[in-house]
Amino acid sequence: MRKPWPRTASQRFEGWRAEFERHRSHHAPTGRHFRVTSAYCEQLYGAHGGRTEATTLGDLGELAELEKRIVRSQQVVWDAHAAEVMAAVSEGGLEATAEALREDEQWIRRLHRDGQPVDVSTDAARWVSGVLGTCPANPLIRAEEIWGLWLSVAGARQICVRVRDDLILELVDAGSPRTHLARALGWSYSRFQRHLARLEEDRTDLALRAAAGQVPGVIGLESRRSARSEKA
C-alpha cells in the first residue's frame, strides 16, 4: 500500500522550496538551468534517426516510425519527471507541491496516475541522467530541469511532424493515392482525410496571409505589384 501524501509540508520540503526559488530566480526567465533550444531539438531529432529530406511513400512510412520512437522517448522523460514530482509530494503534500511548481493539482494527480517506472535501457533515460547530473538532491529542481528535456524531445517530435506533413502535401499534389498514404502512416483512411483537410486549410490560410503581407519575411504578390506601381 502506498504511503498517503502528507497534509502539511515538512521542514525538509520547505528547504527544498526555498532552494528551488533561488534556483528559479538565478536562471530566469525560464526558471531552469537547462535551455530548450532549436539546435538541441534538432540534435535529438537526429539522434532518433531523423531526416530533413523526404520524397517518397517509403520515406513517409519511415517518418511514421520515427515519430513513434520519439513518442516513446517522451514517455520515458515524462516518467522521470513524474518520479521527481512524486518525491516532492511525499514530503510536501499535493497542495504545497503544486504551489511550488506553479502547477494545477490535477496535473500532479495525472502524473501520479500515469507515471511508470523509468525504462533505464533507453537513450532517453541516459539523457535524463545527464540532466540530473547538474542538479542538487532536490526533487523540485530535478523535476523542473527534466521538464526542459521533455520540451526538447517534444520539439524533436514537432520537427518530425513538420517534415511528415510537408511530404503528405507533396505526395497528394503529385497524385499519390490517398489510401496508399494512409496505409504508409498506419492510419485509418478517415483519420488521414481529417488530417489532410486540416493541412490543406492551414496551407490556404498561410497563402492568403502571405499574399496580404502578413507573414514576416514574405512579401505577397499583390504587395510587390503595389510597390512596382508606386515606383512607376
Side-chain angles (χ1 to χ4, degrees):
M1 174 179 270
R2 289 179 175 176
K3 180 181 177 182
W5 296 338
R7 293 182 178 276
T8 58
S10 68
Q11 186 173 355
R12 184 183 188 190
F13 181 87
E14 294 301 341
W16 285 343
R17 175 154 51 184
E19 183 182 35
F20 181 43
E21 289 302 323
R22 291 193 297 271
H23 180 87
R24 178 176 270 159
S25 297
H26 182 70
H27 295 294
T30 65
R32 67 179 77 92
H33 172 74
F34 186 96
R35 289 289 183 262
V36 180
T37 66
S38 58
Y40 189 56
C41 292
E42 290 172 1
Q43 180 181 329
L44 289 177
Y45 177 65
H48 286 88
R51 55 168 65 190
T52 55
E53 293 185 5
T55 58
T56 68
L57 192 63
D59 293 338
L60 190 61
E62 289 183 15
L63 287 166
E65 292 302 314
L66 170 61
E67 186 181 4
K68 290 178 183 177
R69 291 197 295 273
I70 297 174
V71 168
R72 287 194 290 270
S73 290
Q74 279 186 284
Q75 183 61 53
V76 171
V77 179
W78 168 283
D79 292 337
H81 173 72
E84 296 298 337
V85 173
M86 290 305 106
V89 171
S90 69
E91 290 284 344
L94 182 62
E95 182 178 356
T97 303
E99 180 182 298
L101 291 171
R102 301 175 188 175
E103 290 288 358
D104 187 272
E105 289 184 13
Q106 291 307 313
W107 168 253
I108 295 180
R109 290 185 186 278
R110 181 185 173 191
L111 290 171
H112 179 252
R113 182 181 68 248
D114 298 343
Q116 301 294 325
V118 176
D119 183 353
V120 297
S121 68
T122 61
D123 287 337
R126 288 187 282 276
W127 300 333
V128 168
S129 295
V131 171
L132 293 181
T134 68
C135 297
N138 181 329
L140 295 173
I141 293 175
R142 289 160 70 91
E144 185 66 20
E145 295 296 322
I146 292 172
W147 190 247
L149 176 61
W150 189 92
L151 293 174
S152 295
V153 180
R157 184 180 179 185
Q158 288 174 354
I159 295 171
C160 180
V161 167
R162 185 168 63 248
V163 175
R164 180 203 69 194
D165 287 348
D166 287 346
L167 181 56
I168 288 173
L169 289 172
E170 289 175 10
L171 292 173
V172 168
D173 291 345
S176 295
R178 299 183 180 191
T179 52
H180 292 184
L181 273 63
R183 191 177 304 117
L185 290 164
W187 295 356
S188 68
Y189 185 67
S190 59
R191 177 186 176 186
F192 176 79
Q193 285 289 80
R194 290 193 301 271
H195 187 73
L196 178 60
R198 287 194 295 270
L199 292 181
E200 291 178 330
E201 183 179 343
D202 290 345
R203 179 167 63 174
T204 299
D205 178 65
L206 179 62
L208 291 172
R209 290 190 293 112
Q214 296 175 355
V215 179
V218 177
I219 301 176
L221 293 176
E222 293 301 325
S223 300
R224 292 194 183 96
R225 292 192 189 101
S226 177
R228 284 199 296 268
S229 298
E230 292 174 0
K231 291 178 180 179

